[in-house]
Amino acid sequence: MRPRLSSLRTLRTSFTVSFAAVAAAVTVLVGFLSYDAAARLVRVDQQTVFEGVVQDLLDEVRRTPLSPGDFATADADGGPRDELVRPSGTVVQILGPGGSVVDRGHPPLPVDADDRPIAAGQTAGRLVEHRDVDVGDDVYRVATVSLGGGRGAVQVAQEFSGTEDLLRDLQQRTVLLVAAVVIAAGLFGWWLARRITSRLVRLAGAAEDVARTGRLSIQVPVAGYDEVARLGRSFDRMLGRLAQSEDDQRRLVQDAGHELRTPLTSLRTNISMLRRIDELPPAAREELVVDLAQESRELTDLVNELVALAAGRSDTEPPRRVALADIADDVAVAARRRTGRTVTVRVSGDTETDGRPTGLQRAVSNLVDNAAKFDRGGSEPIELVVTRAGDTVRVEVLDRGPGIAQEDLDRVFDRFYRAADARSLPGSGLGLSIVREVAAAHGGEPFARRREGGGSVTGFTVVAVVGGRPGSGGVAEYTS
């Protein structure tokens, strides 16, 4: 359990930190840009207002000769001083001809060496450039404008420290907002990570339980339709397939053990008779040797069938494009050579499929061999028919043997199943089972039915090549 919890903490921590980091980066960037834009806007606006006040004063003194008395007191009807003060709360201080303060501003403004020559100047509208000065605890921007004729000068000032205080307060609020957003993002990321990883943790727990106990029947928690849910469903299907494969292997081993007992018992009995072979008459000796050879062949066939069946869909042969008509022709030639029977092949349409040629050839060969074994009379040829029907290719083997009993039709493709009439014949009972496995591996299914006029029809279907070359529409018949 510790590794699971450790992984959970790591995943949740990583998700939370990542979510918070992204949120922090975005919030810091947006906050910085917003603050910078607001600060620039406020400073530029205040600077523009102050420059406008100074420019109005310059225009006024250049247009109309004014004396310090014109600015000394506020006029009820509005005078030059009121025009300077009203727009932005500008501080106005009047200097006399020698640079002395005639009317102090509120608060008083400092007078330095640059201001006194301006007050004594003869030209109206001379200007001392804007400068920032400390007045008490505040910062003011001051400009001095001469009245001309040595009459004095007017100092105008505007407080800038209040604006900076406001911007500092805005900066602090922005930092607090960023911190709050980061904390909220971290909490939301932790909640979201917990919500997402809880299903992953349950899924990991199920996988660890399977690894620890080896039980494939563990219930996998599946909920939702997202990627985690898809992973859970895929894992559940995988466990189901593994459980089915394990059950199939267990049944195969049990059935194989049961089937192997008969030939092994017979072999053991015959081998024990070999100790007294000198005491047996010649006919009994010959019968014993023939019986041993037959039992060994049946045992070999059974082992080969078991190996082929156990391989099943795990066949490593790569799938490729194959024509079942060609396979049918090869099987017919081999069956004629092996059994001496006549096999007629009929092909209709395009019979190409994507599959494993070895498995398909084995399935067709098993069907033909099965027909030859049961049709012992051999009066009529065995028919091997390959046809295209829609998106499937159908392989049928028709014989004139005793046929399959109605009660056996549903079981002839089961492993080791042998009908009552077939138990006296050689065979392992695995041939048709291999046909079923091959058909299932190629997307089809096996079938069996009784044939009109006697005999049986057995075969299987596979998925045909979609979009392949069209069939000729005719029926080609040739005898092997």
Side-chain angles (χ1 to χ4, degrees), residues 15-54:
F15 194 91
T16 302
V17 172
S18 300
F19 197 90
V22 172
V26 173
T27 306
V28 168
L29 180 62
V30 173
F32 171 78
L33 294 177
S34 300
Y35 170 78
D36 184 69
R40 286 176 180 273
L41 183 63
V42 171
R43 289 184 178 124
V44 168
D45 182 69
Q46 193 171 31
Q47 179 69 23
T48 301
V49 171
F50 183 68
E51 289 177 353
V53 171
V54 174

Side-chain angles (χ1 to χ4, degrees), residues 16 36 64 77 90 99 119 163 212 223 230 247 280 288 306 328 334 348 354 356 401 405 411 435 449 470:
T16 302
D36 184 69
T64 305
D77 296 331
T90 305
T163 302
R212 183 178 64 255
R230 289 171 54 193
D247 292 340
L280 298 177
L288 178 61
L306 285 173
S348 175
D354 291 326
R356 295 183 171 91
R411 300 189 60 189
V435 173
R449 67 176 186 273

Side-chain angles (χ1 to χ4, degrees), residues 139-387:
V139 177
Y140 283 79
R141 180 159 295 177
V142 181
T144 304
V145 177
S146 65
L147 296 177
R151 294 188 295 272
V154 178
Q155 287 184 306
V156 290
Q158 189 173 19
E159 182 184 359
F160 273 60
S161 57
T163 302
E164 296 301 324
D165 292 340
L166 176 63
L167 293 177
R168 278 194 296 270
D169 183 65
L170 177 61
Q171 186 179 43
Q172 293 175 356
R173 291 176 180 272
T174 302
V175 171
L176 292 177
L177 178 62
V178 169
V181 170
V182 170
I183 294 174
L187 294 175
F188 180 75
W190 178 84
W191 173 82
L192 187 61
R194 182 178 181 182
R195 181 181 177 84
I196 294 176
T197 57
S198 59
R199 290 184 293 164
L200 289 176
V201 170
R202 291 195 296 270
L203 186 59
E208 291 174 358
D209 291 340
V210 171
R212 183 178 64 255
T213 63
R215 293 187 298 109
L216 300 176
S217 59
I218 293 177
Q219 185 67 28
V220 178
V222 178
Y225 298 94
D226 56 6
E227 287 77 5
V228 177
R230 289 171 54 193
L231 176 62
R233 281 190 287 271
S234 298
F235 185 67
D236 190 45
R237 286 194 297 268
M238 181 188 70
L239 289 182
R241 288 181 177 269
L242 289 175
Q244 182 64 40
S245 177
E246 187 179 59
D247 292 340
D248 291 343
Q249 291 178 0
R250 186 181 299 109
R251 287 196 301 269
L252 177 61
V253 170
Q254 292 173 352
D255 295 341
H258 175 74
E259 292 295 325
L260 286 170
R261 288 192 185 97
T262 299
L264 288 176
T265 301
S266 179
L267 282 174
R268 189 182 300 111
T269 302
N270 289 332
I271 290 174
S272 66
M273 293 292 295
L274 288 176
R275 297 178 180 178
R276 298 186 296 113
I277 193 171
D278 294 336
E279 303 174 6
L280 298 177
R285 294 179 186 178
E286 183 66 23
E287 183 181 356
L288 178 61
V289 173
V290 172
D291 195 21
L292 282 172
Q294 182 178 353
E295 292 293 344
S296 63
R297 282 195 302 270
E298 291 189 6
L299 183 60
T300 300
D301 292 341
L302 178 59
V303 172
N304 290 336
E305 297 286 359
L306 285 173
V307 171
L309 190 60
R313 299 183 183 181
S314 63
D315 191 353
T316 57
E317 182 184 15
R320 62 182 179 85
R321 187 67 52 83
V322 58
L324 283 171
D326 297 338
I327 290 179
D329 188 35
D330 294 339
V331 169
V333 172
R336 182 189 178 211
R337 183 174 58 250
R338 185 171 58 252
T339 64
R341 298 292 301 275
T342 300
V343 180
T344 300
V345 179
R346 290 187 295 159
V347 178
S348 175
D350 178 20
T351 63
E352 285 191 340
T353 184
D354 291 326
R356 295 183 171 91
T358 302
L360 291 170
Q361 185 165 4
R362 186 173 185 83
V364 177
S365 179
N366 285 354
L367 291 174
V368 175
D369 290 345
N370 197 66
K373 179 174 66 176
F374 285 97
D375 188 5
R376 294 186 292 274
S379 58
E380 295 188 26
I382 297 173
E383 298 180 35
L384 179 52
V385 182
V386 184
T387 58

